[in-house]
Amino acid sequence: MTFDELVRDTLREQAESVRPAPADLAGRVLARRARHRTRGLTAATVVTVVAVAAAVATPTVLDSGHGTNRHGRHDGSADSPAVTGVESHPSQSPPRDRISAGDQVLAAYYSTRDVRQSDHDVVQTRTYSLLNPATGRYATDTRWSDVVVAPGLRTAAVLEQALPARRVGILDLGTGRVTHWIPVPQGAAALDLSPDGSKLVVTTYDQNPNRLFWAKRILVTDGKGSSYQPQPEYSRTGFSVIDLPSGAARWHALAPDKSMPPGIDISGAALRFDHDGTLLTELQMAEPHLVFLSLDGTKVPAPAKEKHEDPDLAPAGLSPDGKLMAGDFAGEGSKTATELLDPVTGKRAALLRGQKLLAWVDDRHLIAWDIVPGGNEFGTRLVMVTIGSTKEVPLSGARHTNQEESPARWEAVFAHR
């Protein structure tokens, strides 16, 4: 069965509404900066041309489908006033069957667990479940530490569990087989794909950035008392931008900022592409939280409509039409809410349902995490929310756990058809 046949067979079901959060729900949800939010600086750029093209027999192009943009719309087509192609499974958490809304699809999800080593170090290890486009079901694949899915849902770029990895795989999601390996001699530990699927940014490290070292332990006090906890070590060395059609790559040095205090992830933030794939971005602790870099690592001013973006707290980012920016949690009292911003001024433009905005479906609909009725801030599920409406459509079951790093707290990875 082809992918197009699967699309034609997609279930189109929309829930009517959900009840508001109960009155005894805690009044607000504390936003937490991601573990990988760190400060980086641009070192003197060292450029090395890596002869990747000669290492593979055929071009390493990720299958990105035809005529679609980053936001899952077909270029040149008019926006539909109603969302079609909604596949929801409110009883499934984690999901077993494909979840989608419009052209946005839950392409994968992962959970993270702490794996203790014999030397008392801890390796924070991800376990991915990937959508098979032929079956429409998710299957666990323990081989990978990082996965980015290309538009079209047929292929993905992957890193093996042993980090830093010396190669990037191009994975066929239908067969589960790696079709090409791209060498990364500097050692890779994080990936991001450009919106059009033509470029891959690989952040490089000289040791596993997900490893917490007992030798760097500090005393941590929480509600359970005090104990020594292992900590990360400086390890980022730079990044490579790989042109996937040709296989050519350039590596640039980019050291982490060693002024970061103990207890913060000081290994160095992974780099991501910006809204249109012409720049790279890096999260940092201080304002501004998002730094923009050219593809050679030179710091540049933030684009006018992206300077208020926070991909940690609001991964959805800029709307397809460029008129709104996803914002942070804005709930109070017994209600959850998120805000939409004017992308140029950063001022609030609208409020809507949800706890965290994950992806734009179109210019009026988004996919978000939100609290299930009767739950707490950790009992969240995927929903579709609409600008100007208090209704939401449940897409998944709830992640019922009070621990943010629990294996049961799966994280969503979206891609468009």
Side-chain angles (χ1 to χ4, degrees):
M1 179 178 290
T2 67
F3 184 76
D4 290 339
E5 288 170 340
L6 283 170
V7 172
R8 288 196 296 269
D9 291 341
T10 294
L11 177 65
R12 291 172 172 84
E13 52 184 85
Q14 294 244 19
E16 293 296 326
S17 65
V18 295
R19 294 175 292 136
D24 60 350
L25 184 63
R28 57 184 300 182
V29 177
L30 297 177
R32 185 172 73 95
R33 293 286 162 188
R35 189 178 299 245
H36 288 280
R37 167 155 291 180
T38 60
R39 181 180 306 201
L41 58 88
T42 303
T45 303
V46 180
V47 180
T48 303
V49 178
V50 182
V52 174
V56 293
T58 56
T60 56
V61 181
L62 285 174
D63 188 346
S64 58
H66 301 283
T68 59
N69 61 27
R70 180 173 196 150
H71 303 285
R73 296 187 302 167
H74 290 272
D75 293 335
S77 66
D79 290 335
S80 171
V83 177
T84 60
V86 174
E87 295 173 287
S88 63
H89 300 283
S91 65
Q92 297 182 11
S93 180
R96 298 183 301 275
D97 301 295
R98 181 176 48 230
I99 288 175
S100 67
D103 280 351
Q104 281 285 2
V105 179
L106 180 68
Y109 58 87
Y110 66 88
S111 61
T112 304
R113 71 186 192 279
D114 289 347
V115 179
R116 296 197 172 274
Q117 310 298 302
S118 59
D119 57 2
H120 303 293
D121 289 357
V122 171
V123 177
Q124 296 171 326
T125 304
R126 289 182 179 181
T127 300
Y128 277 89
S129 292
L130 308 178
L131 178 66
N132 185 316
T135 66
R137 294 179 64 86
Y138 300 96
T140 300
D141 192 335
T142 61
R143 293 175 292 174
W144 316 121
S145 65
D146 199 10
V147 175
V148 288
V149 179
L153 306 172
R154 296 179 179 90
T155 53
V158 294
L159 288 176
E160 294 164 290
Q161 287 287 1
L163 299 177
R166 302 298 170 180
R167 59 185 185 176
V168 176
I170 304 301
L171 181 70
D172 184 315
L173 292 172
T175 65
R177 297 175 180 174
V178 174
T179 59
H180 307 295
W181 290 105
I182 304 173
V184 184
Q186 297 84 6
L191 303 172
D192 192 46
L193 189 66
S194 64
D196 63 1
S198 68
K199 296 187 294 292
L200 189 69
V201 60
V202 180
T203 310
T204 61
Y205 302 80
D206 58 15
Q207 57 190 2
N208 187 350
N210 301 326
R211 191 179 187 104
L212 307 180
F213 296 89
W214 186 248
K216 300 292 181 179
R217 63 189 179 275
I218 63 172
L219 187 63
V220 176
T221 301
D222 56 23
K224 299 179 181 179
S226 298
S227 63
Y228 281 98
Q229 299 294 330
Q231 298 298 309
E233 176 62 286
Y234 303 107
S235 60
R236 188 180 67 187
T237 59
F239 66 95
S240 291
V241 176
I242 301 173
D243 179 75
L244 290 170
S246 68
R250 288 180 177 270
W251 182 80
H252 306 268
L254 186 66
D257 183 353
K258 295 190 177 183
S259 68
M260 291 298 293
I264 303 296
D265 186 350
I266 54 179
S267 59
L271 301 183
R272 300 175 66 254
F273 283 101
D274 77 332
H275 179 73
D276 63 6
T278 59
L279 298 174
L280 300 173
T281 64
E282 176 186 9
L283 285 168
Q284 64 176 14
M285 290 294 293
E287 295 281 357
H289 293 306
L290 196 62
V291 174
F292 288 80
L293 309 170
S294 66
L295 297 186
D296 65 2
T298 303
K299 188 178 293 188
V300 298
K305 290 188 174 184
E306 296 182 64
K307 59 185 177 181
H308 298 290
E309 182 176 3
D310 191 330
D312 176 12
L313 299 181
L318 193 65
S319 63
D321 61 7
K323 295 181 179 180
L324 292 169
M325 176 65 70
D328 195 3
F329 178 78
E332 60 181 65
S334 62
K335 297 181 180 179
T336 61
T338 47
E339 61 181 358
L340 296 174
L341 309 177
D342 180 307
V344 176
T345 66
K347 294 182 179 180
R348 179 181 293 176
L351 282 176
L352 71 164
R353 293 287 300 270
Q355 185 193 72
K356 186 174 185 177
L357 300 174
L358 301 176
W360 289 90
V361 175
D362 55 33
D363 295 328
R364 293 186 53 80
H365 301 86
L366 298 96
I367 297 175
W369 288 119
D370 202 9
I371 297 171
V372 297
N376 60 28
E377 64 265 32
F378 298 104
T380 53
R381 62 182 175 180
L382 291 177
V383 298
M384 184 173 68
V385 296
T386 303
I387 298 173
S389 173
T390 60
K391 296 181 179 181
E392 60 183 28
V393 178
L395 298 175
S396 78
R399 308 180 298 174
H400 285 296
T401 174
N402 60 0
Q403 298 179 10
E404 291 201 5
E405 302 304 323
S406 167
R409 193 172 177 82
W410 52 275
E411 299 293 340
V413 177
F414 288 97
H416 62 77
R417 303 188 202 271

